[in-house]
Amino acid sequence: MFKYLFAKNEDIPAGSAAVFFGFSAIVWFVIGTGLGSFNAAKLAFPDFVTGNMYFAFGHMRQVHVHAVIFGWISMAFAMAMMYIAPALGNNKLWSEKLGLWNCMFWNVGLALGLTVLWAGITSGREYSDFPWPIDLYLAVFVFIPLALNVWMTVLNRKTQGIYTTNWFFIASLFMVIIVFLVGNSPEFFHLSGLTEAYLTWWFAHNVLGLWITPVAAAIAYYTVPKVTGNPLYSHRIGHLHFWSVVVFYSTPAAHHLMSAPLPEWLKSFASVEGVLILVPAIAFVSNIMLTMKGKWYMFVENIEIRFTITGCLMAIPLNMQGGFQQTRAINWYIHGTGWIVAHAHLALLGFSTFLEGAAVYLGLQTIMRRKLYSLTLANMHFWLLLIGFTIYWVSMTIAGLIQGAGKIYEVPYIDVVIAEHPYMIARWIGGTLVFVGNVLWLYNMWMTARKGTEVPVGRMPHELSYER
Amino acid sequence: MAGFREYKVGTRIFALALGGSMCITLLFPASDMSKVSATDMALEKQLSAGRETGFNLDDPFLQGWNKPLGVELTVDPKTNQPMATAMTVYVYQKGTPFPSGILHPRVLGAGVQELSVEQGHIVDAKKDAGAVFAISKGVYNGQQVSYIDNLTATKGWTPDDVMHVAKDSDISEAGKGKTMFVREGCWWCHTLLPEQTQDWQVFGAPPMLGDFNGESPTAFGSDRKAPDLLHVGSRNSSREWMMMHFFNPRLVQPHSIMPRYDYLWGDKDASGQAIDFAKWRAEYDEYREGKRVNPPEVPSYASNSEIRGLIDFMLSLK
Ligand code: HEM
């Protein structure tokens, strides 16, 4: 890859940037889930690796969160955009070279940012933890070049219209840049007090709602029709999904602060808008499920479809939880408990990761024109992720309900800690399975690059049968 | 270039939708929240913590540099005469950046702003010279209002005067401590936000709208795995307990999942002796295995150690 950084743009093989991003994403996935598993161990066994600032829970937690969000998820998005946007526009990526540099700067910046966070140098604002110089770096060297590349690719397309996936890509890139700059502005402009606290959650909410959720969905709008060969069930429903994301998902930021003293009108407004997120959610899930008509056997036989559809199915409980847990009637019980941690992992590790996983499987095979090295390893990856995640989700949901009960019955806090202990251990075991699955995946993709059977020109990888 | 020719209407609606959403979720709430006046709690918090306790250029490595000191005054620093009632002042030594409320009095909100400027003379405070602040009470539009008083301007007390009469035990390094709180990620387990619906009894009164003006970051915490700390100092004000609990929480609470913060002691204890952590841990392990009756003694901390600031901060949370 590095040899192309200084090559002429025309000399760089199409797809290089996407491959670079794909492998970077998997490596960050391994690192990020490894850190997650380490943190989980610390919450189960507090004296596991102790007495050193760098291994204290408070120094490691945000490193995990940022490694998975800005390393794994966002890089997987970049990889997907770099091969899907040109594929749908029937052209080439605007600049492979920009893409390669983008990926380089991204890896360097993220490594730097995580090191800084690890040392405890933080803004003290959840999800916008990076200090502002790192934020500026990420805006200028990560998001803006990515957006430029994808926008120019779509503008230079050779097709008539723009397909659903690409609307989402271009709009989300626009929105994430705005969200990133506005959301981090309190640090830069030294805002303080409730305004700062509110903007923290405005950022956290919108980065999930206008970046992670829509881009993950956009990927499914591509993978499912592409692999099954069915056309998207309905473009109208796609429109409904798109517009309702822009209108409804961008507004309920305050529902993260339902128990804080924000203006009451803001909380009520956010809570109503939050329920309305069910509109894009239902539109999306039904559109994908109906696209599968007649091809359900692929849910069993094809690894990309299995990942995608599992992720879409997880969007159902995810959004039902999301819509209801943020209403005043329910939020007071589960706010700030493990329930929310379970929900966060259902969104990011369940729903979103499964869709991106499919995109990376499909994308790497397609660009490298190599058949997946081993179906067995891919199956193991799938099941380790699904079983590990399920253990995680169930145990943290139970822990959260225990905490909720502890809150309202005024149980001495330490008894809640004791009651949660078994679930903390279960979460650690579940999370470790996910980590192990990812190590297998990295090996599998590496072997695919080296030893995978070549896919003939004009064929899709899934048209060939698996060999191992 | 294919451009957006089929999407003229779409792009405009998009701009309208996103712009509308920004108005409702940014503009309206921000203008609403900025109208609120600072309460006593907000004044205390910003004066004791200083400008920012997250990353900032005055303290880029979150070491607690350039933070104010809280001082409990019992004698008048000019006359050296005992005062009738003790008072708390906040000393901003030369070069210590002022909090938002002093730099931008607008942040303090109606009433507090006017009194702080007109009677408290906060705009006269100079970073290069340092200043001493306190919270005073005045009357605005017939209502009693607390405001920030720049004692350097109103009484002529300089930071040096105050530090001259202050003993180490009168000084609170809560500003440094809050920096440690942010750096060490205490807020990943503890919240600083009792919930309005049910926490009154156990964790104390939830904060109100004006309790945060000028504070940054608020470090509410979202993910509670441990007791809320907003009023911890009024539940438990024992330095000794805090000391043992931070060195190793399992000394006082065997089931705690809180990490050990022994590394905040630094290398030397209060008497300047090197702390032998390896020995302590080995002896503690023996105690855990039942080979010793008592756990090893927790070293006393040096007065400039990080843990001192952290404990000062905990005890300041009344
Ligand atoms: C792609 C996969 C993953 C993503 C995107 C992800 C994302 C996140 C996010 C967003 C949070 C913050 C949650 C909150 O504040 O409510 C978090 C916390 C955490 N995650 Fe993950 N995570 C992933 C995988 C894992 C794995 C495999 C483990 C291993 C057990 C793990 C363990 C943890 C732990 C222990 C926390 C801290 C929870 C707490 O403070 O109570 N995560 N993760």
Side-chain angles (χ1 to χ4, degrees), chain A residues 449-467:
Chain A
R450 321 221 69 191
K451 297 241 173 73
T453 315
E454 195 152 332
V455 177
V457 184
R459 293 263 148 204
M460 286 288 288
H462 64 265
E463 292 166 350
L464 274 64
S465 59
Y466 294 103
E467 290 162 15

Side-chain angles (χ1 to χ4, degrees), chain B residues 70-74 88-89 165-172 308:
Chain B
V71 175
E72 196 69 13
L73 270 186
T74 46
T88 308
V89 299
V165 296
K167 294 191 298 297
D168 190 50
S169 57
D170 301 331
I171 298 175
S172 162
R308 185 261 172 94

Side-chain angles (χ1 to χ4, degrees), chain A residues 43 46-47 50-53 56-59 61-62 119-126 129 131-133 152 155-157 159-162 167 170-171 174-175 178 182 187 190-199 201-202 210 242-243 246-247 250-251 257-267 269 332 335-337 341 403 407-408 410 413-414 417-418, chain B residues 1-7 10 13-14 17-18 21-22 24-26 28-30 32-34 51-52 54-57 60-62 100 107 182-185 187-189 193-199 201-203 207-209 212-227 248 250 253 255-263 281 284 288:
Chain A
L43 289 178
D47 281 333
T50 189
N52 181 321
M53 171 161 137
F57 179 74
H59 284 257
R61 184 192 189 275
Q62 60 273 44
I121 301 172
T122 161
S123 66
R125 304 170 64 230
E126 189 166 359
D129 312 54
W132 60 258
M152 292 311 287
L155 285 177
N156 287 317
R157 69 189 180 279
T159 52
Q160 257 284 312
I162 301 178
W167 315 328
I170 53 180
F174 180 74
M175 294 190 287
I178 305 257
V182 175
E187 292 158 46
H190 306 284
L191 302 188
S192 58
L194 267 189
T195 317
E196 187 232 51
Y198 172 63
L199 268 169
W201 288 98
W202 186 88
L210 302 179
F242 180 86
W243 290 107
V246 177
V247 176
S250 65
T251 41
L257 287 168
M258 291 301 275
S259 58
L262 289 184
E264 290 299 317
W265 70 264
L266 184 58
K267 289 196 251 178
F269 170 76
W332 68 285
H335 176 77
T337 68
V341 178
Q403 275 175 289
K407 279 207 300 204
I408 60 165
E410 299 180 4
Y413 208 93
I414 193 64
V417 175
I418 295 170
Chain B
M1 215 198 268
F4 283 138
R5 50 175 188 267
E6 308 95 319
Y7 296 92
I13 297 182
F14 179 76
L18 202 66
S21 151
M22 296 267 177
I24 302 178
T25 61
L26 288 173
F28 299 172
D32 208 1
M33 287 188 270
S34 62
R51 178 115 213 234
E52 264 161 4
F55 171 84
N56 65 86
L57 295 179
F61 304 110
L62 279 82
S100 292
V107 167
V182 171
R183 185 187 79 192
E184 294 303 322
W187 48 292
W188 295 124
C189 289
L193 184 72
E195 293 174 17
Q196 291 174 339
T197 35
Q198 77 285 319
D199 283 342
Q201 291 283 323
V202 188
F203 297 133
M208 297 183 300
L209 210 51
F212 305 98
N213 293 24
E215 189 188 2
S216 173
T218 44
F220 285 161
S222 65
D223 190 353
R224 193 191 278 170
K225 298 181 268 298
N248 184 341
R250 267 122 350 250
Q253 181 45 268
H255 298 288
S256 180
I257 57 163
M258 179 157 142
R260 302 185 194 184
Y261 288 101
D262 45 7
Y263 56 84
R281 288 185 193 130
Y284 175 74
R288 251 200 320 203

Side-chain angles (χ1 to χ4, degrees), chain A residues 29 32-41 43 57 61 64-65 68-69 72-73 126-127 201 208 337-338 340-342 344-345 348-349 353 392 396 424 427-432 434-435 438, chain B residues 188 222-223 225:
Chain A
F29 197 13
T33 48
L35 288 167
S37 161
F38 183 84
N39 289 348
L43 289 178
F57 179 74
R61 184 192 189 275
H64 158 65
V65 172
V68 289
I69 293 182
W72 157 239
I73 293 187
E126 189 166 359
Y127 291 102
W201 288 98
L208 294 173
T337 68
I340 304 293
V341 178
H345 285 83
L348 296 176
L349 172 54
T353 288
Y392 189 122
M396 285 316 285
M424 291 288 163
R427 179 253 294 265
W428 167 62
I429 294 173
T432 307
V434 173
F435 169 63
N438 287 336
Chain B
W188 295 124
S222 65
D223 190 353
K225 298 181 268 298

